[in-house]
Amino acid sequence: MSKPVILQVGPYPDWDQDPLDSAFDMKRYFEADDPAGFLAEHGPDVRAIATRGELGADAAMIAACPQLELISVYGVGYDAVDIAACKARGIPVTNTPDVLTGDVADLGVAMMLCLSRGMISAERWVRDGSWARQGLHPLQRRVFGRKAGILGLGRIGFEVGKRLAGFDMDIAYTDIAAKDYAPDWTYCADPLDLAQHSDFLFVTLAASAETRHAVNRTLIEAVGPEGMIINISRASNIDEEALIAALQSGALGSAALDVFEGEPALDPRFLELDSVLLQPHHASGTIETRKAMGKLVRDNLAAHFAGQPLLTQVP
Ligand code: 8YV
């Protein structure tokens, strides 16, 4: 029996690629010299798309696959998939929730600590001999006991909060309603109140068209010249132009960012700022989590082609 044809939008590690290649006929879109020609040639045979969170599948790709039955996303975010196009054709979409939550929260908290305590510049201070020549590294800002805000108390936001509680932080959050699983944290219905409360504002919103630029100039300026914004969600949740302007003028103290508009290219103005910590969209990037994400992608594909229920279908 011939294997189901899968359109593979981006590369995966060998530990995922090998089992995918054994079970399916993987068509590697990302290796094509002529992506449109590749889609025209293979699209008519494609029964599923395997993609990654940040790559998704746009309307043109979906339209090029008239026999498409499933999109399986390697990532919790599915904002880059054209969900309206999927809905119109009744194509289910799966993602990889839960398995990456702890790692994403870890990286967000690590970014806060690293930037607040100046660990990158302190490392340079040791390596370039400044310590020996000039003495003590400039003093930095404390983390423990200060005020943290979590914009979006979903799975990842909640794990961030649990970690911050270990630093005795005064934690507030916003979401569509107060959460009974967070009784010790302050609920702010208005994101502006949250931003005003926060020395450290974590952006943990599931991105969608509705959350685009949810962190706008007013919110950024409310976090203020002493405050820090940490983004471990999607770049689209923040107005990046307003963010850069606030960092340049000092209206915002600092920003720790794992995601960027147009990544992996990023606005070169970020590179000129000392008040930012820049990370290459790797919050879920541990061997343990990536193996679990890959398995979930494969398990969803396997379940579909075996006529079994999908494991993690997005609502
Ligand atoms: C990426 C992510 O999928 O979970 C998400 O939504 O953006 C990430 O985990 C990851 O970078 C792999 O491409």
Side-chain angles (χ1 to χ4, degrees):
M1 213 174 68
S2 62
K3 298 178 196 171
V5 174
I6 312 274
L7 184 70
Q8 181 178 342
V9 182
Y12 295 126
D14 289 346
W15 59 63
D16 293 320
Q17 193 66 54
D18 294 345
L20 283 169
D21 286 339
S22 322
F24 305 106
D25 180 0
M26 304 300 291
K27 301 293 184 200
R28 301 183 191 207
Y29 176 76
F30 58 97
E31 286 178 352
D33 292 328
D34 168 18
F38 187 89
L39 267 187
E41 184 186 347
H42 298 293
D45 302 322
V46 165
R47 295 181 61 196
I49 293 176
T51 187
R52 300 198 325 218
E54 74 279 26
L55 301 175
D58 63 17
M61 180 177 279
I62 293 167
C65 305
Q67 303 205 62
L68 188 62
E69 298 165 30
L70 174 70
I71 298 182
S72 184
V73 181
Y74 177 86
V76 67
Y78 50 89
D79 51 303
V81 174
D82 193 318
I83 294 292
C86 294
K87 244 189 202 159
R89 285 176 45 196
I91 299 163
V93 177
T94 61
N95 65 347
T96 59
D98 301 317
V99 293
L100 48 64
T101 305
D103 275 338
V104 176
D106 280 357
L107 193 84
V109 173
M111 284 159 66
M112 169 187 69
L113 287 163
C114 179
L115 186 55
S116 196
R117 297 299 304 269
M119 290 177 71
I120 304 287
S121 81
E123 154 90 9
R124 225 178 291 126
W125 194 258
V126 175
R127 283 185 187 270
D128 71 8
S130 298
W131 189 17
R133 271 195 319 275
Q134 289 173 249
L136 298 178
H137 183 257
L139 298 181
Q140 305 295 312
R141 293 304 305 270
R142 162 186 291 183
V143 165
F144 84 88
R146 294 180 70 202
K147 293 179 180 159
I150 304 171
L151 192 68
L153 201 73
R155 285 176 283 235
I156 292 171
F158 183 59
E159 285 301 316
V160 166
K162 278 166 57 184
R163 284 156 177 72
L164 301 182
F167 295 106
D168 293 331
M169 297 185 86
D170 172 356
I171 301 168
Y173 67 96
T174 188
D175 208 297
I176 43 177
K179 303 289 180 187
D180 52 12
Y181 52 77
D184 299 333
W185 308 341
T186 307
Y187 175 64
C188 294
D190 184 348
L192 189 55
D193 291 341
L194 185 78
Q196 278 160 350
H197 157 95
S198 302
D199 296 318
F200 301 96
L201 181 70
F202 285 82
V203 185
T204 50
L205 290 168
S208 67
E210 289 72 47
T211 66
R212 184 175 162 73
H213 293 186
V215 181
N216 57 19
R217 183 178 155 193
T218 312
L219 240 67
I220 292 168
E221 291 181 356
V223 177
E226 298 290 321
M228 181 191 299
I229 292 178
I230 301 108
N231 192 5
I232 44 172
S233 59
R234 284 287 186 268
S236 63
N237 284 333
I238 302 186
D239 179 344
E240 201 170 82
E241 200 54 47
L243 179 70
I244 291 172
L247 287 163
Q248 285 174 330
S249 70
L252 174 69
S254 58
L257 307 168
D258 188 43
V259 283
F260 304 88
E261 290 286 3
E263 63 186 49
L266 71 164
D267 193 310
R269 290 173 294 175
F270 278 124
L271 303 176
E272 288 159 14
L273 290 163
D274 286 332
S275 55
V276 292
L277 175 68
L278 308 171
Q279 296 287 293
H281 195 158
H282 72 141
S284 68
T286 66
I287 292 167
E288 295 87 345
T289 282
R290 288 290 168 84
K291 284 193 168 173
M293 288 164 64
K295 181 169 183 320
L296 208 38
V297 166
R298 291 197 303 282
D299 288 351
N300 275 304
L301 288 167
H304 172 75
F305 288 110
Q308 305 289 327
L310 297 168
L311 284 82
T312 48
Q313 183 173 350
V314 307

